[in-house]
Amino acid sequence: QVTVRDALNQALDEELERDERVFLLGEEVAQYDGAYKISRGLWKKYGDKRVIDTPISEMGFTGIAVGAAMVWLRPVCEFMTFNFSMQAIDQVINSAAKTCYMSAGSIAVPIVFRGPNGASAGVAAQHSQCFAAWYGHCPGLKVVSPWSSEDAKGLLKASIRDDNPVVMLENELLYGVPFEMSEQAQSKDFIVPIGKAKIERQGTHITLVSHSRPVGHCLEAAAILAKEGVECEVVNLRTIRPMDIETVEASVVKTNHLVTVEGGWPQFGVGAEICARIMEGSAFNYLDAPAVRVTGADVPMPYAKILEDNCIPQVKDIIFAVKKTLNI
């Protein structure tokens, strides 16, 4: 078993070793080993030129990273939380995402923006927002959102090797969670292709589609519902953009029911996009009931624990949505 933290550390270590153009920069990533210890040991191994501590200025160090990517270095730019990426939104969207298109393909921007995204625990509204829908909205970016250690390692390696800017939305509460990792996943050649979802559990009655931490909630809900004779198929999106809608459609054709689950806000969310795509495609003809979304509450995150818990989708919310959709 390997924690998500160690899987990310492995991926960074292997890619720094494999390609001398790869470097890591961000707040506290070097001498302190990273705010979440993702970059533990890398500064000692690779030195000041490859693992760089930056001042507390997202606008500044993101601009430096984007400029470096334009001259064919491969920066990995860490945000201490994606909430702070708002300070650098101009560099991420206007500089990185649009440059390849506006230069008619002559300037690639091979950069990875990574760090914790979504709700943590007890850090209130300023640190608890999910940016999957925000960044998934923007052409020119690829956006990935891992759940397991295998997802985290494979997607980070694929993102570093990609010639496009990639936003990698991790979850802070998953960093210390151990997952089974196959021998293949621990090899240096292992990657998870960007844009390919994974069916985490086979089922026949209803499709649950999710990404990041809520995938675990879906699997818990599916295990409980299985005892009542309801077999849920759980789809782990893994990539927000480009979205693997084909896997979702194939599952809906099989189960005839759909529930989407996410930690982000409901309006214009990832679930809303999935529902629209199903509505517009041939899988709509196979639905036996309206698709249902389970999302975070439509409020800035409260600080009090009991309120916070009620703002984040829980296993009971998923079970309620499934039973409502199946009319049981």
Side-chain angles (χ1 to χ4, degrees):
Q1 288 203 326
V2 178
T3 63
V4 171
R5 174 182 289 110
D6 289 340
L8 290 166
N9 182 267
Q10 272 180 35
L12 286 170
D13 189 7
E14 289 167 11
E15 292 305 300
L16 283 160
E17 185 178 61
R18 187 186 68 86
D19 187 344
E20 63 182 16
R21 295 172 299 170
V22 176
F23 69 98
L24 174 65
L25 79 168
E27 294 149 356
E28 299 184 348
V29 299
Q31 294 186 41
Y32 187 66
D33 278 343
Y36 305 99
K37 302 295 177 256
I38 304 298
S39 52
R40 187 178 55 234
L42 299 180
W43 174 67
K44 287 188 181 74
K45 185 171 179 180
Y46 295 102
D48 289 329
K49 287 194 173 178
R50 306 288 303 283
V51 185
I52 303 167
D53 277 330
T54 64
I56 303 172
S57 173
E58 280 74 16
M59 188 185 294
F61 69 73
T62 306
I64 288 169
V66 172
M70 288 176 178
V71 291
W72 280 101
L73 294 174
R74 290 187 172 269
V76 179
C77 178
E78 177 179 308
F79 295 121
M80 199 177 282
T81 156
F82 257 93
N83 297 267
F84 301 162
S85 75
M86 291 290 94
Q87 299 289 328
I89 196 79
D90 180 53
Q91 283 75 12
V92 176
I93 304 301
N94 288 328
S95 297
K98 299 176 183 177
T99 294
C100 184
Y101 182 85
M102 293 176 76
S103 67
S106 63
I107 303 174
V109 187
I111 185 171
V112 181
F113 305 102
R114 55 154 295 273
N117 169 71
S120 180
V123 289
Q126 296 94 330
H127 304 81
S128 296
Q129 193 172 327
C130 177
F131 287 89
W134 284 56
Y135 286 118
H137 178 65
C138 300
L141 291 176
K142 294 184 178 182
V143 183
V144 299
S145 181
W147 167 59
S148 66
S149 299
E150 200 163 293
D151 291 350
K153 181 179 180 183
L155 285 171
L156 181 51
K157 287 172 73 76
S159 300
I160 291 170
R161 297 180 189 192
D162 201 289
D163 287 340
N164 297 279
V166 182
V167 171
M168 181 158 174
L169 303 169
E170 301 152 15
N171 188 287
E172 183 183 334
L173 296 177
L174 287 174
Y175 283 154
V177 178
F179 289 88
E180 291 288 337
M181 258 181 105
S182 63
E183 210 169 297
Q184 177 200 3
Q186 296 196 54
S187 81
K188 291 188 177 183
D189 301 320
F190 176 74
I191 63 163
V192 168
I194 294 173
K196 193 76 193 114
K198 181 185 179 188
I199 295 174
E200 298 287 351
R201 180 187 175 115
Q202 297 282 347
T204 51
H205 295 133
I206 191 164
T207 298
L208 303 178
V209 184
S210 190
H211 67 95
S212 192
R213 187 165 172 255
V215 173
H217 297 342
C218 288
L219 289 168
E220 283 181 52
I224 293 166
L225 286 160
K227 293 173 184 169
E228 300 177 33
V230 177
E231 291 298 331
C232 302
E233 182 146 295
V234 178
V235 180
N236 173 8
L237 275 179
R238 299 204 290 197
T239 305
I240 308 300
R241 183 184 186 101
M243 188 178 282
D244 182 5
I245 207 67
E246 293 82 8
T247 295
V248 179
E249 283 180 330
S251 182
V252 169
V253 166
K254 181 167 83 167
T255 67
N256 312 117
H257 299 90
L258 172 65
V259 171
T260 68
V261 184
E262 64 189 304
W265 294 319
Q267 192 155 321
F268 313 116
V270 174
E273 174 66 17
I274 294 166
C275 292
R277 299 276 279 273
I278 293 297
M279 178 85 182
E280 292 164 354
S282 58
F284 173 72
N285 299 311
Y286 291 84
L287 279 177
D288 288 343
V292 172
R293 292 177 295 160
V294 177
T295 70
D298 197 20
V299 296
M301 182 63 71
Y303 174 69
K305 178 160 177 32
I306 189 164
L307 294 176
E308 181 181 68
D309 288 345
N310 280 289
C311 283
I312 301 168
Q314 307 290 336
V315 173
K316 63 180 172 56
D317 302 319
I318 300 167
I319 292 170
F320 178 81
V322 167
K323 290 185 173 181
K324 176 184 166 188
T325 306
L326 294 174
N327 198 25
I328 55 176

